[in-house]
């Protein structure tokens, strides 16, 4: 679905992302990992067309992402930045309606079908009881669910999430990532996201891509990447591992 072919990104002659070749598996959850400034947010901004590659190409379904017009691209990809816009005075239902913008009819009006899709998206994230609440009055976890509902209403094949859990406590991080994983499986959504927590990433992802200083240094399944040697390359420190007896998932910790 998504492919990078020698794609790089530079600012004022400084390389932020070195020439990179990657393929992202459709229908899977892929998480980008690495320390601050490693290039993971830059990479997801290339995928979302927030940035344009300095060299090489970013392809979607074998076509350069720049070849899609805005509405056509929105039919394929929905993007949630790390810091979403302020939503003062906007209700949950109004926010989720924004996701239907690329699908408006010929007269630019929402149809009943659009409102039905909005209500279904709100229900999928468990916010039906909060439909008429202002987004600004919700908890952090509920707000993130509302934004995810907006992405669902867009009915894109792929959703891109830049650090969706950064402002959440551990309980709400787990809740949100569980929701994203459930939606991935039930709707066959392709999910590409940036996370800091390697244990959360390993638990909720099919594939992990690790970056360091603008280079991809490892990629593969959580089991393949969760080794002491690979974690040392990613984070520059020694981490120990144990296996969760209930799930069999590897979990890292500072010894």
């Amino acid at each position: 679905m998504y492919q990078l072919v020698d794609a790089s990104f530079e600012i004022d002659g400084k390389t932020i992302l070195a020439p990179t070749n990657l393929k992202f598996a459709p229908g899977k959850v892929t998480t980008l990992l690495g320390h601050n400034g490693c290039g993971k947010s830059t990479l997801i901004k290339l995928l979302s067309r927030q940035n344009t590659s300095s060299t090489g190409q970013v392809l979607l379904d074998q076509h350069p992402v720049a070849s899609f017009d805005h509405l056509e691209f929105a039919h394929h990809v929905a993007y949630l930045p790390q810091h979403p816009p302020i939503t003062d005075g906007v209700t949950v239902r109004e926010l989720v309606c924004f996701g239907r913008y690329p699908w408006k009819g010929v007269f630019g009006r929402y149809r009943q079908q659009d409102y039905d899709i909005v209500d279904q998206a709100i229900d999928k994230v468990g916010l039906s009881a909060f439909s008429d609440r202002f987004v600004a009055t919700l908890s952090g976890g509920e707000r993130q669910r509302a934004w995810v509902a907006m992405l669902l209403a867009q009915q894109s094949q792929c959703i891109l999430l830049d650090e969706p859990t950064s402002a959440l406590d551990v309980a709400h991080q787990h809740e949100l990532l569980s929701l994203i994983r459930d939606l991935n499986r039930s709707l066959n959504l392709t999910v590409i996201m940036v996370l800091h927590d390697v244990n959360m990433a390993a638990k909720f992802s099919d594939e992990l891509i690790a970056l360091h200083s603008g280079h991809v240094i490892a990629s593969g399944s959580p089991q393949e990447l969760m080794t002491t040697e690979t974690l040392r390359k990613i984070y520059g420190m020694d981490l120990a591992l144990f296996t969760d007896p209930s799930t069999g998932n590897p979990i890292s910790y500072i010894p």
Side-chain angles (χ1 to χ4, degrees), residues 82-251:
Q82 183 179 353
H83 302 292
I86 295 172
T87 52
D88 290 347
V90 176
T91 67
V92 170
R93 196 161 191 257
E94 288 168 342
L95 175 66
V96 179
C97 277
F98 293 154
R100 295 305 301 162
Y101 178 81
W103 302 94
K104 278 187 176 182
V106 292
F107 298 109
R109 296 175 181 172
Y110 292 117
R111 299 154 294 181
Q112 185 58 47
Q113 178 187 4
D114 295 306
Y115 290 120
D116 291 343
I117 291 169
V118 165
D119 290 337
Q120 290 165 14
I122 293 172
D123 181 62
K124 280 188 174 73
V125 303
L127 287 181
S128 293
F130 299 88
S131 235
D132 296 322
R133 283 267 302 271
F134 289 116
V135 177
T137 67
L138 303 179
S139 70
E142 290 163 349
R143 274 199 301 273
Q144 288 297 79
R145 281 175 170 265
W147 283 106
V148 170
M150 187 195 75
L151 302 186
L152 291 179
Q154 194 171 320
Q155 292 191 313
S156 304
Q157 302 166 345
C158 174
I159 62 174
L160 307 176
L161 306 165
D162 191 356
E163 298 192 31
T165 62
S166 61
L168 303 179
D169 60 35
V170 173
H172 284 109
Q173 288 180 35
H174 191 277
E175 182 183 72
L176 180 67
L177 293 174
S178 295
L179 170 66
I180 290 168
R181 177 50 124 177
D182 288 345
L183 295 171
N184 152 254
R185 287 172 170 163
S186 63
L187 302 175
N188 197 34
L189 275 178
T190 300
V191 179
I192 304 171
M193 60 183 172
V194 172
L195 291 179
H196 275 293
D197 190 317
V198 65
N199 290 323
M200 290 286 195
K203 180 178 177 65
F204 292 106
S205 306
D206 298 298
E207 299 286 332
L208 302 177
I209 296 173
L211 293 99
H212 192 290
S213 303
H215 295 265
V216 174
I217 59 171
S219 63
S221 69
Q223 288 72 24
E224 290 171 328
L225 260 71
M226 291 289 279
T227 67
T228 53
E229 181 180 351
T230 301
L231 292 175
R232 187 185 305 115
K233 289 179 181 177
I234 298 171
Y235 297 107
M237 63 183 297
D238 289 323
L239 295 171
L241 292 164
F242 71 94
T243 301
D244 184 336
S246 63
T247 65
N249 292 329
I251 298 174

Side-chain angles (χ1 to χ4, degrees), residues 1-3 23 57-65 67-68:
M1 186 179 185
Y2 259 120
Q3 183 177 2
K23 287 184 179 180
Q57 287 187 310
V58 179
L59 305 177
L60 177 63
D61 294 338
Q62 300 184 340
H63 300 286
V65 292
S67 67
F68 296 88

